[in-house]
Amino acid sequence: SEWSTNRYSPLLLPYPMFSLINLFAPFLNPSRQPAIQQQPYLLNTETRSKRSSSLTQLASNMASSPPLLIRGGIVVNDDEMLKADVLVENGLIKAVGPNLEAPAGVQIVDATGKLVMPGGIDPHTHMQLPFMGEVAVDDFEKGTQAAVAGGTTMIIDFVIPSKDSTPLKAYKQWREWADPKVCCDYALSMAITTWSDSVAKEMEIVTGDEYGINSFKFFLAYKGVFMVRDEEFYQGMIQCAKVGALARVHAENGSVIEEKAKELLAKGITGPEGHTQSRPEELEAEATNRACVLASQANCPLYVVHVMSKGAARAIAHHRQKGAVIFGEPIAAGLATDGSHYYNKDWLHAARYVLSPPLSRDSSTPNALMDLLAAGELHLTATDNCTFNCQQKLAGKDDFTKIPNGVNGVEDRMSVVWEKGVHSGKIDPMRFVAITSSVAAKIFNCYPRKGRIAVGSDADVVVWDPEAARIISKDTHHHAVDFNIFEGMEVHGVADVTISRGKIVWEKGQLRTVTGSGRFVPLNPWSPTVFATIAQRAKMTQPRGVQREEPKDVSKGVEKLSVNTKSSRPPGGFSNISFS
Ligand code: URP
Ligand code: ZN
Ligand code: ZN
């Protein structure tokens, strides 16, 4: 199938023997291709085809659903818009083109006046996460129902081992929770919450075939719970780079936050306003900068989750300008709301918005984050969907540090991004597809199976009505949670029909999901989008020793001190790339 042949082979770096000639050789002489067979990317080609054939098998098991012909719409990918029909059979896209013939028994989906786009991919969710003494109420069923109602057809959820668990145990637990419940496809990312040789080993294991993890998240917040120390984070990133996994980071300064929270509580500030005051934006910017510096030191690609402030975004842009491989992910909450809610007189209102890092205290931040997405300085959108009911938020009634952190987003992200991005005139529908779907598929190495309307891709499709509008409300949403942080917001751009692996799961305001019908999508390591420069960077920055003669015997004194004022060049010359 299309994705089982490596479409990126010209960029497969023959580590450790990379050279520019090798880089361009496949273009110059295709017969040289086998010379780069030693590459991690290519070693995965076989795995990749094994996985895709088993997924094709799964798709053929779904043959019972009728073929669909999505007719009369405009197909939008991240690099094209064209008037075309889309034929879907056995869970896959079978044909894309003008005026396709309708095979016998086909169900027609009328997309006249609508856009036909790859279903959204939300790369950051926490369904039914046990956290701060509570369990998030959107479980894998309600959470994925909410997702498809908003046009999202795949989520990437986080396995988060508690400090006394292990990556393998936690992985098993998450699969047991998710597999019977998911109503659309899902994949997993994993948090690393402690550090030891056995954790390093298990990181290697879970990036293998049967587990399908290709990213690890490190928390620099939640001290004593999930937080890792800088040296653990650094070692973890070295291991990520070794196994071809992307490092992801929750960037805040957990130690200083803890001190500031104590100071505020001692002053009698116990309400949700203490949450934002104990977490000044500078601490997010500081930790983001630190994470970028440490990632460069470890020569590891980095993905900063929930970028909430201008300072954090600025740090990412700064390091990217210096050549670092860093991706920045703002979330729906940060694009559409701000931190003024923490000062609401109604305690419950304020508590509903508690998440970390907090919403920005600067009311111009949501628009600025959207501008950065438009400009390509931030790269994709997520939600961090992690919902707690009002009753659960009340756990922090007398102490803001005990308010369970997290908000909704998975249902409304697509509409919020359309409203703030396309409806406002900042981005076009192709960029919308990029930041809601294709970039995530590329980063997490499942493109073009996901994230593209193309023959052979999974039929995860949203028929999007750009003209329709709706008012977001807890009364009409599909989450389990009893409030919605976007309550009352009018959004243009609505998911008219959502198709997951060739089946209609949302149509004209009605869910048609089957619990447990979603599939786990194993993600391969060595994503080219993430790793294609890393081997060469390793070469350019490798430490170099200096060849010296044996020191002279100085026990009888030194005759004449010779001082060489010229600096000596290391063998191979200096690199002109600055990574720090
Ligand atoms: O407040 C948040 N963000 N809750 C979910 C856990 C996390 O930090 O991602
Ligand atoms: Zn986080
Ligand atoms: Zn999160």
Side-chain angles (χ1 to χ4, degrees):
S1 62
E2 197 183 354
W3 49 85
S4 66
T5 55
N6 198 316
R7 293 153 48 99
Y8 303 92
S9 52
L11 289 176
L12 301 185
L13 310 181
Y15 180 74
M17 287 132 45
F18 173 90
S19 75
L20 284 176
I21 294 200
N22 284 121
L23 180 61
F24 294 111
F27 293 117
L28 305 173
N29 175 5
S31 67
R32 285 202 58 155
Q33 206 103 336
I36 56 172
Q37 288 282 345
Q38 306 310 314
Q39 292 326 295
Y41 309 116
L42 279 186
L43 290 177
N44 275 287
T45 307
E46 206 182 304
T47 307
R48 197 182 279 212
S49 55
K50 244 194 283 165
R51 283 182 186 172
S52 51
S53 61
S54 69
L55 288 158
T56 309
Q57 182 61 41
L58 272 175
S60 67
N61 293 343
M62 299 174 74
S64 54
S65 58
L68 301 175
L69 181 59
I70 308 167
R71 193 179 252 171
I74 294 179
V75 168
V76 187
N77 280 315
D78 65 344
D79 56 358
E80 63 182 4
M81 288 176 73
L82 55 140
K83 198 161 179 356
D85 299 341
V86 178
L87 179 64
V88 166
E89 259 181 45
N90 298 331
L92 300 175
I93 295 175
K94 183 89 184 297
V96 181
N99 307 317
L100 294 180
E101 266 193 27
V106 81
Q107 182 182 343
I108 305 287
V109 177
D110 181 12
T112 312
K114 315 235 164 60
L115 305 176
V116 180
M117 307 191 288
I121 299 174
D122 184 342
H124 182 169
T125 67
H126 303 283
M127 304 307 174
Q128 62 191 82
L129 176 70
F131 186 40
M132 300 182 73
E134 304 289 336
V135 175
V137 287
D138 279 331
D139 64 4
F140 281 95
E141 182 185 37
K142 293 296 284 183
T144 51
Q145 285 177 338
V148 300
T152 288
T153 51
M154 177 170 163
I155 60 166
I156 305 181
D157 203 83
F158 285 90
V159 174
I160 309 188
S162 53
K163 285 207 186 270
D164 57 1
S165 184
T166 67
L168 282 172
K169 272 194 219 155
Y171 176 92
K172 192 163 169 282
Q173 177 67 80
W174 255 258
R175 290 295 303 270
E176 278 170 21
W177 283 335
D179 286 348
K181 287 191 182 174
V182 279
C183 300
C184 65
D185 284 4
Y186 82 105
L188 291 170
S189 186
M190 179 177 274
I192 297 302
T193 52
T194 57
W195 189 248
S196 66
D197 289 347
S198 82
V199 169
K201 180 78 208 140
E202 292 192 15
M203 282 172 73
E204 196 172 343
I205 293 170
V206 298
T207 51
D209 268 9
E210 65 276 40
Y211 294 92
I213 298 272
N214 72 357
S215 63
F216 295 96
K217 176 177 175 184
F218 300 85
F219 288 94
L220 306 184
Y222 309 129
K223 193 172 173 196
V225 185
F226 298 147
M227 190 171 113
V228 288
R229 296 191 304 270
D230 284 353
E231 64 272 28
E232 297 173 323
F233 178 36
Y234 174 69
Q235 288 299 338
M237 286 195 288
I238 288 177
Q239 183 67 355
C240 282
K242 194 174 143 205
V243 301
L246 174 63
R248 304 175 80 183
V249 66
H250 173 133
E252 286 187 293
N253 189 319
S255 300
V256 176
I257 287 167
E258 189 177 83
E259 296 307 309
K260 293 196 78 71
K262 280 189 225 154
E263 286 163 26
L264 287 158
L265 289 170
K267 288 194 172 102
I269 297 174
T270 60
E273 66 280 12
H275 179 70
T276 176
Q277 290 177 48
S278 63
R279 302 176 110 98
E281 293 192 13
E282 289 82 352
L283 294 186
E284 187 195 352
E286 178 277 321
T288 305
N289 182 60
R290 178 162 36 107
C292 294
V293 170
L294 296 184
S296 278
Q297 294 304 313
N299 192 25
C300 181
L302 182 68
Y303 177 123
V304 183
V305 300
H306 46 43
V307 176
M308 301 298 280
S309 63
K310 291 182 197 170
R314 212 175 286 127
I316 293 168
H318 171 73
H319 286 277
R320 282 179 62 86
Q321 273 170 25
K322 298 208 296 177
V325 182
I326 303 175
F327 305 98
E329 168 212 88
I331 60 173
L335 292 167
T337 55
D338 67 44
S340 56
H341 292 287
Y342 300 124
Y343 293 91
N344 195 291
K345 283 265 199 294
D346 176 353
W347 186 94
L348 209 45
H349 178 101
R352 287 170 184 149
Y353 291 82
V354 166
L355 84 157
S356 295
L359 295 163
S360 175
R361 56 192 60 197
D362 174 349
S363 62
S364 68
T365 297
N367 282 339
L369 293 175
M370 190 69 235
D371 292 342
L372 291 166
L373 280 165
E377 297 283 6
L378 295 173
H379 308 93
L380 71 171
T381 60
T383 63
D384 197 9
N385 195 94
C386 184
T387 51
F388 298 98
N389 276 334
C390 295
Q391 193 56 42
Q392 294 174 299
K393 292 270 180 186
L394 279 168
K397 188 169 51 66
D398 304 316
D399 176 349
F400 63 85
T401 65
K402 298 193 166 60
I403 302 170
N405 285 204
V407 297
N408 61 288
V410 77
E411 180 162 353
D412 299 317
R413 176 185 66 128
M414 300 281 280
S415 286
V416 161
V417 175
W418 185 273
E419 177 71 19
K420 299 283 175 182
V422 187
H423 190 71
S424 75
K426 289 184 178 177
I427 61 172
D428 61 41
M430 294 175 286
R431 181 77 187 139
F432 175 79
V433 166
I435 64 178
T436 57
S437 183
S438 320
V439 172
K442 289 174 190 176
I443 288 178
F444 293 99
N445 214 5
C446 55
Y447 183 86
R449 203 183 117 202
K450 303 288 188 189
R452 189 158 190 93
I453 303 291
V455 174
S457 292
D458 283 357
D460 283 2
V461 181
V462 59
V463 179
W464 190 257
D465 188 344
E467 300 302 329
R470 68 185 174 96
I471 308 278
I472 299 177
S473 173
K474 70 173 175 46
D475 300 328
T476 47
H477 73 196
H478 299 81
H479 290 275
V481 69
D482 56 6
F483 63 91
N484 189 312
I485 58 161
F486 308 113
E487 186 73 35
M489 181 179 168
E490 184 182 29
V491 282
H492 298 82
V494 173
D496 192 45
V497 179
T498 307
I499 297 164
S500 166
R501 277 185 190 271
K503 282 191 172 164
I504 294 178
V505 286
W506 167 257
E507 187 177 23
K508 313 269 180 254
Q510 295 299 318
L511 282 172
R512 309 218 181 286
T513 49
V514 177
T515 303
S517 62
R519 293 282 176 262
F520 176 66
V521 179
L523 301 174
N524 289 313
W526 302 111
S527 161
T529 300
V530 172
F531 272 93
T533 51
I534 294 299
Q536 180 66 359
R537 292 167 65 87
K539 187 174 174 239
M540 297 306 287
T541 55
Q542 70 189 345
R544 292 178 173 118
V546 175
Q547 299 292 323
R548 295 188 183 87
E549 287 167 13
E550 275 295 300
K552 297 211 173 81
D553 179 4
V554 291
S555 58
K556 297 186 187 84
V558 180
E559 279 172 19
K560 192 177 157 210
L561 194 63
S562 88
V563 180
N564 182 358
T565 53
K566 280 194 188 154
S567 62
S568 52
R569 285 180 178 272
F574 290 114
S575 161
N576 62 357
I577 303 174
S578 158
F579 292 112
S580 61

